[in-house]
Amino acid sequence: MHLEAYSKSDLLAWSRELEEHYRGFQASGLDLDLTRGKPSIAQLQLSAALDGILDGDYCLADGSDARGYGGLDGIPEARVLAAQWLGLTEAQVLVAGNSSLTLMYLFMLSAHVLGLQGAESPWCRQSGGARFLCPVPGYDRHFAICEELGIEMLPVPMNADGPDMDVVESLVTADPSIKGIWCVPKFSNPTGVVYSDQVVRRLAELPGRAGDGFFIFWDNAYRVHEFDTTPVPLLNIMDECRRRGSQGRVVIFGSTSKVTFAGAGLAFMGASVDTLNAFRRHLSVLTIGPDKVNQLRHLRFLPDMAAVRDLMVRHAAILRPKFQCVQQRLREGLGNHGMGTWTDPAGGYFVSFDALPGLAARIIERAAAAGVKLTPAGAAFPYGRDPEDRNIRLAPSYPSVDDVDRAMQVFVTCVQLCSVEKRLGELGADG
Ligand SMILES: Cc1ncc(COP(=O)(O)O)c(C=O)c1O
């Protein structure tokens, strides 16, 4: 029954019952954590063969030794894999160290401070400052990069098929100081949204409308992270950009962080040859080259995309029950009460929950007091500010299924409790 259909006395009785239930959780001394999307130990174990796989053989396909210096773009065999992973040619990709986020930071730093197209090109030189479009809710670490560099963030609503392109287009057309947009096109963090063909095509047209130096940051972090064996398609952004002459304005990222070892994988970056060359000039000052030994052991373990797919099927088998548990608890506890809405993604690492307005921080606080840590309220918004205080990111990948189940029982109880309290407040003394 919908929350609004309850009488005040029923709500009071329900709230007493929920309080008692909640105190029971508090007394049981839980210590659970749904804060960050990281692979569980069982998932990391799937790549245990990486350790020792080289067995003293450091010889690369081109005959050189992986232990030596050099090779800014990564080892050739890793670039072949990266090209398939990102949907580009080998000339358009480079393979770096363990973090694609580092590459994103470095690319943005290069564009903003150092310049990618000559002395006058840094965004920071332009009067009035640089702005960036941030679909919300989004990935907090993307927003942290903009904040660190002093790039003003403009939130854009996220629809079920990607960013609201009407809003995006009107902002970009009206304001040439907007220098780009963050995109997580597949199983977006945290909504799990996959961009539709229409959205990808409209994004590819943006550089034609935007001011100078505009870049689409295409962070395809969850490219191979389906829960099911059926691949979820996504249009190739580079192909779409090429058709519109905007191929130099997209920069594509990916990594094996949620495929092999989260902290010791490979990061991929792709762009047009010209854009990649401009970036390389800065990268080559920062480093002589990446950890090629790690690249080589990855390539021995995952020689091609078929091997990656096989591994991801095994990841999915571990992740699926956890996400199913989240959905079941939400459905059973909140299904028809009108206490919130949530996403049900087909892959990725998150579920995005929208509580009734004004309740996210309170729910998170109450869950913490019962031993369940959740991502801080507002984390998925620029500057940590959720204007409606309603979004909560749920990340069930790390704990066991039993712990996810316990954490979700607490979460659902906290949502019920806070929603009933809110409704009672609305009804007031004489409702
Ligand atoms: C959208 C997105 N991009 C990038 C990352 C981090 O990637 P990496 O480990 O390659 O730096 C994450 C991690 O949660 C993510 O959700």
Side-chain angles (χ1 to χ4, degrees):
M1 191 160 87
H2 197 278
L3 187 61
E4 288 176 13
Y6 284 85
S7 69
K8 189 170 176 186
S9 61
D10 284 347
L11 285 173
L12 282 168
W14 194 7
S15 130
R16 276 193 296 272
E17 209 180 287
L18 287 168
E19 275 293 352
E20 201 178 318
H21 202 44
Y22 177 75
R23 278 196 295 275
F25 287 130
Q26 279 186 310
S28 60
L30 297 173
D31 183 13
L32 303 169
D33 190 335
L34 293 185
T35 57
R36 291 229 75 97
K38 48 184 192 177
S40 62
I41 304 294
Q43 289 177 265
L44 298 176
Q45 226 19 61
L46 297 176
S47 298
L50 274 174
D51 198 10
I53 200 168
L54 294 181
D55 196 23
D57 177 5
Y58 298 97
C59 189
L60 297 175
D62 64 6
S64 64
D65 190 309
R67 293 170 295 184
Y69 260 146
L72 185 68
D73 292 334
I75 64 172
E77 42 271 70
R79 291 180 79 196
V80 173
L81 182 72
Q84 292 166 11
W85 196 295
L86 302 180
L88 299 170
T89 65
E90 284 154 47
Q92 292 173 322
V93 300
L94 60 79
V95 185
N98 70 332
S99 166
S100 60
L101 192 71
T102 305
L103 291 171
M104 294 174 223
Y105 184 99
L106 201 56
F107 192 89
M108 194 169 262
L109 183 76
S110 302
H112 186 50
V113 180
L114 305 167
L116 289 165
Q117 294 159 300
E120 293 311 310
S121 71
W123 300 341
C124 69
R125 293 254 176 125
Q126 296 172 33
S127 62
R131 295 185 177 76
F132 219 79
L133 298 183
C134 301
V136 291
Y139 180 37
D140 52 351
R141 292 184 193 272
H142 284 164
F143 303 159
I145 295 176
C146 285
E147 194 168 357
E148 163 113 327
L149 298 177
I151 296 167
E152 188 187 336
M153 291 178 270
L154 305 178
V156 173
M158 201 57 177
N159 291 334
D161 65 344
D164 185 327
M165 289 308 295
D166 291 341
V167 175
V168 167
E169 285 165 359
S170 71
L171 285 169
V172 163
T173 309
D175 184 354
S177 75
I178 294 175
K179 294 301 169 202
I181 180 168
W182 284 114
C183 295
V184 183
K186 188 164 168 182
F187 309 136
S188 212
N189 178 350
T191 54
V193 160
V194 181
Y195 290 15
S196 68
D197 293 359
Q198 179 66 5
V199 164
V200 177
R201 292 195 181 104
R202 286 173 77 177
L203 280 164
E205 268 161 29
L206 279 185
R209 299 170 177 259
D212 290 341
F214 184 94
F215 280 102
I216 301 163
F217 277 56
W218 196 253
D219 177 5
N220 207 351
Y222 300 104
R223 149 92 169 81
V224 289
H225 298 68
E226 277 83 357
F227 296 148
D228 208 333
T229 44
T230 331
V232 174
L234 172 73
L235 221 51
N236 183 314
I237 183 80
M238 184 57 97
D239 289 349
E240 294 307 314
C241 284
R242 195 180 308 107
R243 279 188 197 115
R244 293 160 179 85
S246 60
Q247 65 275 9
R249 315 312 312 175
V250 61
V251 55
I252 306 175
F253 303 93
S255 78
T256 65
S257 291
K258 284 157 191 152
V259 176
T260 59
F261 294 162
L266 310 184
F268 309 128
M269 178 179 149
S272 72
V273 170
D274 287 347
T275 301
L276 207 55
N277 278 338
F279 176 68
R280 257 191 210 106
R281 280 196 282 278
H282 301 301
L283 185 67
S284 64
V285 178
L286 180 85
T287 180
I288 301 172
D291 178 346
K292 292 184 294 180
V293 173
N294 192 33
Q295 294 192 357
L296 182 59
R297 64 181 188 145
H298 268 78
L299 266 292
R300 296 256 168 93
F301 182 55
L302 297 174
D304 50 32
M305 286 308 284
V308 174
R309 291 257 172 236
D310 283 351
L311 179 59
M312 294 316 288
V313 168
R314 302 174 71 201
H315 276 279
I318 298 173
L319 287 170
R320 209 167 33 238
K322 299 181 184 183
F323 281 82
Q324 281 168 347
C325 171
V326 170
Q327 294 299 328
Q328 192 183 336
R329 284 288 171 198
L330 291 172
R331 223 174 21 245
E332 286 173 6
L334 307 172
N336 52 5
H337 292 323
M339 293 177 173
T341 55
W342 58 91
T343 57
D344 184 4
Y349 266 68
F350 306 98
V351 172
S352 180
F353 182 84
D354 280 328
L356 295 175
L359 291 190
R362 180 82 185 119
I363 291 167
I364 290 167
E365 195 186 317
R366 293 210 80 156
V372 176
K373 284 194 204 69
L374 298 166
T375 313
F381 289 75
Y383 312 105
R385 286 197 295 265
D386 173 359
E388 291 193 279
D389 183 28
R390 57 186 314 189
N391 185 254
I392 298 173
R393 186 179 82 168
L394 301 171
S397 59
Y398 192 81
S400 66
V401 181
D402 284 349
D403 280 351
V404 170
D405 193 45
R406 273 187 280 272
M408 286 308 296
Q409 289 182 48
V410 174
F411 177 72
V412 164
T413 303
C414 293
V415 173
Q416 291 174 335
L417 203 46
C418 295
S419 306
V420 170
E421 280 168 0
K422 178 180 158 92
R423 180 70 189 141
L424 278 167
E426 284 163 4
L427 290 174
D430 46 25

